[in-house]
């Protein structure tokens, strides 16, 4: 969430930033609403001040035995007491309206983010590796998985409907190996602390990371009012909600390997075959909590950590800097890692790493204080996939496909596979 004081002081810059996002100017509307809020607050404060002053004057009038004046002042105090609740309720309503409007405004892009309206405006930062050198026919992951007998979409549809997958046997083990490999690298080498956090969260947690109130249709909700996490970013980032941290203990780095749940409300007709876009999927999430001076460098570091997973798996990928029109709601800058999928003959996103500035820190009221500082500042937050496990499975299947339809297990995963070196057809 953005700071209304910053918007008041930088109205033109704010509207220009919104324009880069493809949004209409809002500075005047928000400032007018803030003026109304300030006026209502002042009105309530004036009434309280007059009530307090009149109460003191009653004592003076009584002391001077001026009963007529005392009764007049008592009547005034009673009238103010009757009016105050309405004034305070108006203040709450106007404040809630301003907060709601601010909560629906996307973050301000950093100056070096390319301006564009959609994914066609994204800019390639780098490419690593090369396409597979084999000459046999490339296949999509669902063709490979079904032919091997370890991937069952019909069973998944019977159990849960569309956009679910049943993995069995050797492919189930391969996916588990990928997740374990990722979490081991990030905790053992990259300095992240592994966390097992709730998969069900309250409204406040979803608000803190920006999913609510604007994107509720993308989420699954339980009958008791909780939400299934669309990403472990929600649980990990909210670990510091309403906390004041010591600056010297920053950065905090968290990682979690969890199921994620998304309704894919805006994806009708897209990627309907296979397991590329699912309602339920595994992801290894990375979250960093930093001070204001460190977040940009931390963004580069986090992206490098995610890249390292793809490098060790030997997967060809590229890093894209997302343009202003393709970035997520809470991001100031985002790098997408896109892995090469031979079956689709294209790159597809496998990780997205974003720096959010104090956008989420403000929503969570998460702050930090320097050693010699009295004042606090809102933390900066970052999140990224390290990586999406299901999409990594797809990439391994398609890139390590052998001519006979088997899949060679990448060397880095062999310690997790119990001696299995190839994924072969089910007996």
């Amino acid at each position: 969430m953005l700071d209304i004081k910053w918007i008041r002081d930088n109205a033109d810059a704010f509207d220009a930033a919104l324009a880069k996002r493809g949004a209409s100017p809002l500075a005047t509307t928000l400032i007018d609403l803030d003026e109304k809020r300030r006026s209502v607050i002042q009105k309530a404060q004036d009434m309280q001040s007059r009530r307090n002053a009149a109460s003191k004057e009653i004592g003076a009038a009584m002391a001077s035995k001026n009963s007529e004046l005392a009764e007049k002042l008592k009547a005034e105090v009673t009238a103010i007491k009757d009016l105050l609740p309405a004034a305070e309720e108006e203040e709450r309503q106007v404040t809630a309206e301003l907060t709601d409007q601010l909560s629906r405004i996307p973050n301000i892009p950093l100056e070096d983010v390319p301006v564009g309206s959609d994914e066609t405006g994204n800019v390639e930062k780098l490419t690593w590796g090369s396409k597979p050198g084999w000459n046999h026919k490339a296949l999509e992951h669902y063709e490979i998985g079904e032919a091997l007998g370890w991937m069952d979409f019909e069973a998944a549809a019977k159990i849960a409907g569309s956009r679910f997958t049943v993995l069995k046997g050797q492919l189930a083990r391969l996916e588990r190996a990928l997740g374990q490999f990722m979490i081991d690298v990030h905790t053992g080498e990259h300095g992240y602390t592994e966390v097992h956090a709730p998969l069900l969260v309250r409204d406040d947690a979803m608000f803190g990371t920006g999913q609510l109130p604007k994107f509720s249709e993308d989420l699954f909700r339980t009958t008791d009012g909780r939400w299934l996490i669309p990403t472990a970013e929600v649980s990990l980032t909210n670990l510091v909600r309403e906390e004041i941290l010591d600056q010297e203990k920053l950065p905090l780095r968290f990682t979690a390997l969890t199921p994620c749940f998304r309704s894919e409300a805006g994806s009708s007709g897209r990627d309907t075959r296979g397991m590329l876009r699912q309602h339920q999927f595994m992801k290894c999430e990375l979250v960093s909590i930093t001070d204001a001076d460190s977040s940009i460098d931390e963004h580069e570091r986090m992206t490098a950590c995610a890249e390292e997973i793809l490098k060790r798996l030997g997967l060809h990928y590229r890093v894209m800097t997302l343009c202003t029109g393709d970035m997520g709601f809470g991001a100031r800058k985002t790098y997408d890692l896109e892995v090469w999928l031979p079956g689709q003959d294209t790159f597809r996103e496998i990780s997205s790493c974003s720096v959010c500035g104090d956008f989420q820190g403000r929503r969570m009221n998460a702050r930090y204080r320097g050693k010699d500082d009295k004042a606090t500042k809102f933390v900066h937050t970052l999140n990224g996939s390290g990586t999406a496990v299901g999409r990594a499975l797809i990439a391994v299947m398609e890139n390590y496909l052998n001519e006979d339809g088997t899949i060679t297990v990448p060397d880095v995963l062999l310690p997790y596979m119990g001696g299995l070196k190839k994924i072969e057809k089910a007996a």
Side-chain angles (χ1 to χ4, degrees):
M1 193 158 68
L2 302 175
D3 180 8
I4 185 62
K5 183 179 183 302
W6 182 88
I7 294 172
R8 291 179 69 95
D9 294 341
N10 301 274
D12 291 341
F14 170 66
D15 282 343
L18 288 183
K20 291 180 180 179
R21 284 267 199 174
S24 302
L26 286 172
T28 299
T29 299
L30 293 169
I31 291 171
D32 287 348
L33 187 56
D34 188 43
E35 288 289 351
K36 181 180 179 182
R37 181 185 68 90
R38 291 180 177 208
S39 174
V40 169
I41 290 173
Q42 188 61 54
K43 175 183 173 182
Q45 288 177 344
D46 289 346
M47 291 173 70
Q48 290 168 343
S49 296
R50 179 56 197 152
R51 180 193 62 185
N52 295 338
S55 296
K56 291 180 180 179
E57 290 171 16
I58 290 171
M62 296 289 285
S64 63
K65 297 182 180 182
N66 189 342
S67 58
E68 182 180 351
L69 177 59
E71 290 304 316
K72 182 179 178 182
L73 289 168
K74 286 179 182 179
E76 183 182 1
V77 168
T78 299
I80 293 173
K81 284 182 178 178
D82 291 341
L83 292 172
L84 259 179
E88 291 170 345
E89 178 59 26
E90 185 181 10
E91 178 187 336
R92 280 191 291 270
Q93 290 179 358
V94 174
T95 300
E97 184 181 355
L98 178 60
T99 299
D100 182 67
Q101 290 204 25
L102 288 171
S103 72
R104 297 173 184 273
I105 299 169
N107 207 349
I108 301 300
L110 292 177
E111 288 297 324
D112 62 345
V113 173
V115 177
S117 58
D118 54 33
E119 61 185 15
T120 60
N122 298 342
V123 176
E124 184 177 295
K125 182 186 180 189
L126 63 88
T127 302
W128 186 91
S130 56
K131 300 175 185 179
W134 36 255
N135 296 316
H136 55 265
K137 181 182 178 182
L139 298 173
E140 294 212 43
H141 69 281
Y142 53 83
E143 298 173 299
I144 302 167
E146 289 182 320
L148 289 171
W150 299 124
M151 189 176 278
D152 193 338
F153 297 103
E154 288 187 9
K158 181 171 63 177
I159 297 166
S162 62
R163 295 196 186 277
F164 290 92
T165 305
V166 169
L167 296 178
K168 303 175 183 177
Q170 295 177 8
L171 271 187
R173 178 154 194 164
L174 183 60
E175 187 186 49
R176 174 159 56 91
L178 280 161
Q180 288 180 301
F181 161 66
M182 293 173 191
I183 207 82
D184 284 352
V185 171
H186 293 314
T187 57
E189 302 180 35
H190 294 160
Y192 288 86
T193 299
E194 184 173 3
V195 177
H196 285 193
L199 305 181
L200 294 169
V201 299
R202 295 175 172 175
D203 290 1
D204 287 347
M206 286 292 195
F207 180 87
T209 42
Q211 283 77 19
L212 291 181
K214 195 171 184 179
F215 303 104
S216 59
E217 66 176 14
D218 297 330
L219 308 170
F220 287 112
R221 194 172 196 181
T222 63
T223 54
D224 67 352
R226 293 182 175 89
W227 303 87
L228 278 71
I229 61 167
T231 162
E233 170 201 345
V234 178
S235 302
L236 297 180
T237 309
N238 274 279
L239 289 173
V240 300
R241 184 163 62 93
E242 298 174 355
E243 298 284 340
I244 298 177
L245 308 172
D246 292 334
Q247 184 175 11
E248 59 192 23
K249 294 182 179 179
L250 300 177
L252 300 177
R253 298 185 178 113
F254 303 123
T255 184
L257 177 63
T258 70
C260 303
F261 307 91
R262 298 183 185 177
S263 71
E264 296 293 348
S267 303
S268 178
R270 295 173 58 192
D271 302 313
T272 53
R273 294 206 63 184
M275 57 180 289
L276 194 70
R277 194 178 297 274
Q278 300 274 276
H279 289 310
Q280 174 186 318
F281 57 95
M282 295 294 293
K283 182 156 67 80
C284 182
E285 184 70 7
L286 306 175
V287 162
S288 295
I289 312 296
T290 76
D291 60 25
D293 297 328
S294 306
S295 58
I296 301 302
D297 288 342
E298 185 71 12
H299 189 210
E300 301 297 328
R301 182 189 188 278
M302 176 180 284
T303 305
C305 291
E307 286 184 67
E308 186 62 25
I309 297 297
L310 301 182
K311 289 178 180 178
R312 295 194 191 187
L313 289 170
L315 296 172
H316 179 39
Y317 71 90
R318 67 182 183 183
V319 179
M320 305 292 290
T321 304
L322 298 195
C323 71
T324 53
D326 200 31
M327 284 197 310
F329 175 76
R332 297 205 69 191
K333 184 177 183 179
T334 299
Y335 293 131
D336 267 10
L337 276 60
E338 298 180 348
V339 69
W340 177 255
L341 298 183
Q344 291 193 16
D345 193 34
T346 192
F347 288 100
R348 295 301 298 263
E349 178 202 337
I350 194 170
S351 171
S352 190
C353 297
S354 299
V355 56
C356 301
D358 66 3
F359 188 80
Q360 294 176 328
R362 191 178 299 276
R363 297 172 80 98
M364 296 186 298
N365 193 24
R367 295 166 288 163
Y368 69 92
R369 180 185 285 117
K371 185 178 180 181
D372 300 318
D373 296 334
K374 292 183 179 179
T376 61
K377 298 178 181 178
F378 289 108
V379 300
H380 282 211
T381 62
L382 303 94
N383 62 81
S385 306
T387 64
V389 180
R391 292 196 175 193
L393 176 65
I394 292 171
V396 168
M397 291 172 68
E398 294 192 13
N399 282 277
Y400 283 84
L401 176 66
N402 299 311
E403 192 170 7
D404 63 359
T406 62
I407 304 165
T408 298
V409 176
D411 289 345
V412 292
L413 300 182
L414 292 175
Y416 302 92
M417 293 298 293
L420 194 65
K421 295 184 177 180
K422 279 187 179 181
I423 307 300
E424 299 180 315
K425 190 169 184 177

